[in-house]
């Protein structure tokens, strides 16, 4: 079945995620050392929209150490870049008029990504966890998207870099392609689904 809607993960699918590459350096830590200091679930709660920015900053470190929240936000904003080749691919799909929506776990900082890269030129920023209160791989995250779009789950194609999310999407009827970092490989998958021409390379 050819999908009628493409649902895109954002971080490390469309855009490089600075959480892993830039945030540790801001604090002068390795990633492992930073993770050891973080308050458990604070980031998840931020992604779900249950913490404001100021509340997130206050709970950032488990020992209560203060952080430069504004500085961290600016540092992250300057680090958002396209996954190589993805901007062009989205442009081709947009030209073919395929409906595309974001289905992403992310806090309000997705607005920084939009300001820097202009994701909305290509897809609707419809299903971001900070607004929906739903995070992948919860089944409700996928079913909410299909319900809101007025299409059955099997009419949706999820593209996500996490195997766990792809597996969970398939369990509730969506098609899913795990993005392994290779845009040429993703192009092949989209061609097999009939979303790109065989000659589109």
């Amino acid at each position: 079945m050819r999908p009628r809607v493409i649902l895109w993960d954002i971080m490390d699918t469309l855009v490089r995620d600075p959480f892993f590459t830039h945030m540790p350096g801001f604090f002068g830590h390795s990633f492992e050392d930073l993770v050891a200091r973080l308050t458990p679930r604070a980031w998840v709660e931020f992604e779900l929209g249950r913490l404001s920015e100021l509340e997130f900053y206050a709970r950032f470190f488990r020992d209560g150490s203060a952080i430069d929240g504004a500085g961290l936000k600016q540092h992250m904003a300057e680090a958002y870049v396209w996954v190589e080749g993805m901007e062009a691919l989205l442009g081709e799909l947009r030209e073919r008029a395929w409906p595309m929506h974001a289905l992403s776990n992310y806090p309000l900082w997705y607005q920084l990504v939009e300001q820097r890269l202009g994701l909305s030129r290509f897809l609707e920023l419809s299903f971001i966890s900070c607004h929906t209160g739903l995070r992948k791989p919860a089944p409700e995250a996928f079913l909410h998207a299909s319900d809101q779009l007025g299409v059955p789950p099997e009419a949706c194609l999820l593209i996500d870099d996490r195997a766990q999310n792809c597996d969970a999407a398939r369990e509730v009827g969506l098609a899913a392609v795990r993005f392994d970092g290779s845009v040429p490989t993703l192009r092949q998958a989209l061609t097999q689904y009939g979303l790109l021409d065989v000659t589109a390379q």
Side-chain angles (χ1 to χ4, degrees), residues 47-70:
E47 284 190 331
L48 286 168
R50 296 173 184 169
L51 294 179
S52 68
E53 279 189 15
L54 292 180
E55 290 170 331
F56 173 62
Y57 299 152
R59 291 183 52 187
F60 193 86
F61 286 129
R62 65 172 70 210
D63 64 5
S65 298
I67 71 168
D68 175 8

Side-chain angles (χ1 to χ4, degrees), residues 9-32:
D9 175 55
I10 295 178
M11 287 300 148
D12 280 341
T13 300
L14 298 178
V15 178
R16 295 295 179 198
D17 190 349
F19 182 87
F20 303 99
T21 58
H22 288 70
M23 187 182 288
F26 179 80
F27 294 101
H29 291 314
S30 68
F31 179 73
E32 293 75 15

Side-chain angles (χ1 to χ4, degrees), residues 25-47:
F26 179 80
F27 294 101
H29 291 314
S30 68
F31 179 73
E32 293 75 15
D33 289 342
L34 176 62
V35 169
R37 292 193 63 197
L38 296 177
T39 301
R41 288 193 59 82
W43 180 260
V44 170
E45 296 295 305
F46 190 32
E47 284 190 331

